Amino acid sequence: MTTLELKSDIIQLVEKLEDEAILHAIRILLLKQDQKASESTETDFWEELPEHVQEGIEIGLAESNRGEVILHEEVMEDVRLRYLS
């Protein structure tokens, strides 16, 4: 896939998106890349995240700190058993 085809594909996918959190995340990624390219001053992307995304991350970090985690391997095994069997 050429760069032009890749850009076109990404644009089409973004145009179909309705999930605001994903759109914000994409915007942040693109802004970060643009900042790197122009070597402008860095901003903290955390402040650009929607509040509900920040809250979700904080909840996840707290759960992880308490040891309330599921290993990737366990999740993948569950997916295999549920959907690939």
Side-chain angles (χ1 to χ4, degrees):
M1 182 177 281
T2 67
T3 301
L4 184 58
E5 291 169 329
L6 185 57
K7 287 180 180 181
S8 178
D9 188 44
I10 291 169
I11 289 168
Q12 290 174 4
L13 291 170
V14 168
E15 287 177 343
K16 293 177 187 177
L17 277 175
E18 297 296 328
D19 188 323
E20 195 171 311
I22 293 174
L23 290 169
H24 279 288
I26 292 169
R27 180 176 179 272
I28 289 167
L29 286 171
L30 293 173
L31 286 172
K32 281 297 204 184
Q33 178 60 37
D34 188 46
Q35 286 176 351
K36 287 180 184 177
S38 65
E39 296 183 9
S40 64
T41 58
E42 287 193 34
T43 58
D44 186 0
F45 77 94
W46 180 261
E47 299 304 321
E48 294 190 33
L49 291 174
E51 188 174 328
H52 70 279
V53 173
Q54 290 178 9
E55 290 171 358
I57 292 170
E58 289 170 347
I59 289 169
L61 288 171
E63 289 172 348
S64 176
N65 289 336
R66 292 190 304 267
E68 299 171 7
V69 297
I70 300 173
L71 297 176
H72 174 76
E73 292 81 13
E74 293 175 18
V75 172
M76 293 308 297
E77 182 62 24
D78 185 48
V79 168
R80 278 191 283 281
L81 292 173
R82 284 186 195 204
Y83 302 107
L84 302 177
S85 297

